[in-house]
Amino acid sequence: MPAFRALLALAFTSIVYAAPLGGGISVSVRSNSYSADGTFYAPGLGACGKTNSSNQLIVAVGHAVFDSYPGAALHPQNPNKNPICGKKLKATYGQKSVTVTVEDRCAGCPGAADLDFTEAGFRKLAALGVGRIHGVKWEWVI
């Protein structure tokens, strides 16, 4: 019986920690590493219900990640209650890194794991004039 409980606990842990995305990609609250494009935007009232400014270290995650985050389906009509809101991630581009807080959903991000930074966050990785950076590695900060 203890072996069954351990197996059951492991099964529920997997459900809590990972949710599938289209194309076989899964989002995980564990420290899995992703590779994506990074862009920047001028934030305002975000999908998480907070108003942010360009000088804050905020990020909008791709809509596929935002919508598939574990627990997001519990509140499909109110993205403010998505458990991804307030989560931190560390993004690295080349030798530079930044830790940002998820406060928005990037509807225009074509890649499942793409990130749309505020200007302050993007500047920590590259000059704004670059516009789009490829090969941004990122992971959840637990």
Side-chain angles (χ1 to χ4, degrees):
M1 196 66 157
F4 175 74
R5 285 188 199 147
L7 183 59
L8 187 61
L10 180 61
F12 280 109
T13 301
S14 296
I15 292 169
V16 170
Y17 285 118
L21 292 174
I25 298 170
S26 67
V27 179
S28 175
V29 293
R30 294 182 190 226
S31 295
N32 290 336
S33 183
Y34 300 93
S35 182
D37 282 359
T39 53
F40 65 92
Y41 76 117
L45 178 60
C48 292
K50 293 183 181 177
T51 300
N52 299 108
S53 67
S54 292
N55 64 347
Q56 293 176 288
L57 296 177
I58 301 301
V59 71
V61 296
H63 56 88
V65 170
F66 190 94
D67 296 345
S68 298
Y69 193 82
L74 298 175
H75 307 284
Q77 301 304 315
N78 188 354
N80 297 181
K81 294 184 178 184
N82 187 325
I84 200 171
C85 295
K87 297 291 183 200
K88 294 191 181 296
L89 63 88
K90 180 181 177 184
T92 303
Y93 181 67
Q95 300 299 313
K96 298 178 180 180
S97 294
V98 63
T99 298
V100 290
T101 304
V102 176
E103 291 294 346
D104 209 350
R105 177 184 184 271
C106 182
C109 288
D114 286 351
L115 301 174
D116 207 8
F117 299 92
T118 57
E119 289 181 9
F122 192 89
R123 270 194 221 104
K124 299 274 186 182
L125 302 174
L128 294 181
V130 174
R132 177 178 295 273
I133 50 180
H134 304 284
V136 176
K137 305 287 185 205
W138 68 269
E139 62 187 5
W140 297 110
V141 177
I142 308 270

